[in-house]
Amino acid sequence: MNALERRSVAALASVYAMRMLGLFMVMPVFVLLGEGLQGATPALLGLAIGAYGLSQALLQIPFGLLSDRVGRKPMIYLGLLLFAGGSLLAGAADSIYLVIAGRMLQGAGAIASVLMALLSDLTREEERTKAMAVVGMSIGVSFSVSLVLGPVLGSLWGLSGLFYVTAGLALVALVIVGRVVPTPRQHKASADALPARQMLVRVLTEGRLLRLDFGIFALHLVLTSLFLVVPVFLEQRLGLAGSDHWWFYLSVMATSFFAMVPFIIIGEKKRKMKAVLCGAVALLTLSAAALLLSGHSLVGTWAVLFAFFMAFNLLEATLPSLVSKEAPAAGKGAAMGVYSTSQFLGAFIGGALGGLLQESVGIPGVIGLMVLVLLSWLVVALTMPAPGYTTSFVVQLKEAADGSYGAVDQCLRGLPGVQDVVILKDEATAYLKVDRQHFDEQSLAGLAFVRQGSNS
C-alpha cells in the first residue's frame, strides 16, 4: 500500500473498531447492571441487548445505496451522530424502555457498508482485499477488548458511564473521519463494496450464500443469548463479582484466539474448509449444551467458554471469507450486504427471544434455544456442498467500438480457472471469479481487449 492507502485504512479501521467497541462493551455487563432500571424484566433486558440489531438490519443496505447519491462522508457523519445520540439517550435513561430506544437509535447509524465503500474509493483494486482484512481484524480485536473493558468500566462508572464512553468514542470517530480520512475525488461504484440492486435478487436466490447467511444469523443469535446467561453464572453460581469478570473474559479470549489459528490454516491451505466449518459448529453446539453441566466449577465454566469462543472466533473469521468466495462475480457487495443484515437480525432475535425465554422458562430455556439453533445450523452445514476456493479478479477492458462485449465474455469464460464473469459496460471492467490454482494471469497478456498493466 502507498502512504495514502495506509492512512485511509488505518483511520477507517479505527472508526469501525470504535463503533463496534461501543456496541459490544455493554453486552457482558448489561444483565447485571440493567436490573436497577425502572421496569426492567429479563425479557426487556434481552430486548435491550439485541435492539440495536433490528435497526442495523433494516438500514444497512439503504445507507450504502444512499451514499452513492449524497456522498460517503455525509452518510458516515449522520450515522455516527445517530450512534452518539442513541448512546447519550441510553446513558441518561433510568427506564428500560428509554434504554431500548437508545439502543435502537445506536443501531440506526448503520454505516458499515458506507465505510467499506469509502475504503473502496480510497484504495486500489489490488490492495482492496488486504485493506478489508485489516478492517475485519479491527472488528475482532474490538470485540475481544470490549469483553475486558466492559466489566472494568461498568464497575467504575456503571451502565450510564459505559454509554457515555460510547458516545465519546463516536465523537472521536467523527473527528477522525473529518480530519484524517481523505475525501475521495470521485465515488467508485465498486461491486466489492456496495450492494447493487441488480445483484440482490441473484444473491438472495443463491443456495450456497443463503446457507452462509443462516450461519452468521445463528452465530450472532447464540452470542447475544450467551450474554443473558454467562454473567449470571459467573456472579450467582461462581461468586465472581462483576468487577472481576474482566480477567475471566481476558484469559478465555486470549487463549481461544490463538487456539483457532491452526484450524484456519488447515482449512485454507489443505482445502478442508467444510470439515473445519462443520467441526466448529459441532464444538459450538456441544459447548453451549455443556453450560448446563458446568455446575459451580470455575475451571469447568472456563473450559466450556474456551471451547465456545475458540469455535466462535474461528467461524467469525471464516464466514466472511466464504461469502466472498461464493459470491457471484461483481456481486460481493450485495452478498456482504445481505450477510451483514442476517448478522444483525440474529443479534436482535437472540436478545429478544432469549430474554422472553429467560423470563418464562429460566436459563435452561435460553440454553435450549441456543442448542436448537446450533443443531439446525449443523444440519445445514453438513448438507451444504464443499465451498469453492475462488477469489475475485478484476480486468480493465478497452472500450468496445460497438458497445458489445459478448465475444469478450465468451473468451474470458474459456480461460482455465475462470468460473464466472460479469462485465460492467459503463466501467469497461470485467469481474472474474477464478481458482488461483488453475488460473494464470499471464493468459490475459495476449488478449487484445485487455488494458495491459491494469489488472488485479
Side-chain angles (χ1 to χ4, degrees), residues 59-128:
L59 296 174
Q60 194 70 226
I61 292 176
F63 256 71
L65 295 175
L66 274 173
S67 74
D68 264 346
R69 295 196 172 197
V70 303
R72 312 287 193 232
K73 281 194 171 182
M75 292 305 298
I76 293 173
Y77 293 145
L78 173 61
L80 288 173
L81 287 172
L82 287 172
F83 185 69
S87 302
L88 291 172
L89 175 60
D94 57 4
S95 159
I96 186 65
Y97 296 103
L98 283 177
V99 171
I100 292 171
R103 289 286 279 174
M104 291 196 71
L105 190 56
Q106 279 185 318
I111 58 172
S113 61
V114 188
L115 287 171
M116 287 300 185
L118 182 55
L119 189 70
S120 175
D121 293 340
L122 296 169
T123 55
R124 291 165 293 165
E125 290 279 3
E126 58 266 29
E127 300 295 338
R128 186 127 341 116

Side-chain angles (χ1 to χ4, degrees), residues 10-24 115 135 137-143 146 169 173:
L12 289 172
S14 67
V15 170
Y16 214 128
M18 287 181 191
R19 182 171 159 277
M20 300 310 291
L21 182 64
L23 282 172
F24 287 141
L115 287 171
V135 173
M137 288 172 58
S138 75
I139 298 170
V141 170
S142 68
F143 174 70
S146 72
L169 289 172

Side-chain angles (χ1 to χ4, degrees), residues 199-384:
M199 271 293 172
L200 284 175
V201 173
R202 183 174 174 186
V203 164
L204 288 169
T205 55
E206 174 56 56
R208 288 173 178 262
L209 287 172
L210 291 176
R211 289 170 185 265
L212 296 172
D213 294 335
F214 178 76
I216 195 63
F217 168 86
L219 188 63
H220 279 261
L221 183 154
V222 168
L223 177 69
T224 311
S225 299
L226 181 79
F227 285 108
L228 297 174
V229 172
V230 170
V232 178
F233 273 15
L234 296 180
E235 186 169 81
Q236 296 181 5
R237 277 193 181 187
L238 305 176
L240 198 64
S243 58
D244 294 327
H245 288 191
W246 68 269
W247 65 259
F248 186 91
Y249 289 124
L250 177 61
S251 61
V252 167
M253 294 303 295
T255 52
S256 63
F257 179 82
F258 288 107
M260 64 97 177
V261 172
F263 295 99
I264 290 181
I265 296 173
I266 291 170
E268 291 288 351
K269 299 294 185 183
K270 303 294 185 181
R271 297 204 166 193
K272 300 288 186 183
M273 190 53 74
K274 180 177 178 179
V276 170
L277 176 71
C278 293
V281 178
L283 179 59
L284 203 66
T285 307
L286 290 172
S287 57
L291 281 172
L292 282 176
L293 307 175
S294 59
H296 297 274
S297 167
L298 183 63
V299 174
T301 303
W302 189 96
V304 167
L305 288 178
F306 165 79
F308 181 95
F309 280 108
M310 183 177 74
F312 175 86
N313 289 330
L314 177 58
L315 292 163
E316 186 80 355
T318 55
L319 283 172
S321 173
L322 291 175
V323 170
S324 176
K325 291 172 182 176
E326 296 292 343
K332 190 186 296 183
M336 292 306 297
V338 175
Y339 173 86
S340 296
T341 299
S342 303
Q343 171 184 330
F344 289 118
L345 193 59
F348 167 68
I349 293 178
L353 187 54
L356 283 171
L357 287 170
Q358 188 167 5
E359 185 170 312
S360 58
V361 182
I363 284 176
V366 182
I367 295 176
L369 170 67
M370 294 165 63
V371 172
L372 180 62
V373 170
L374 288 172
L375 283 173
S376 301
W377 184 13
L378 184 58
V379 171
V380 168
L382 287 170
T383 56
M384 72 181 289

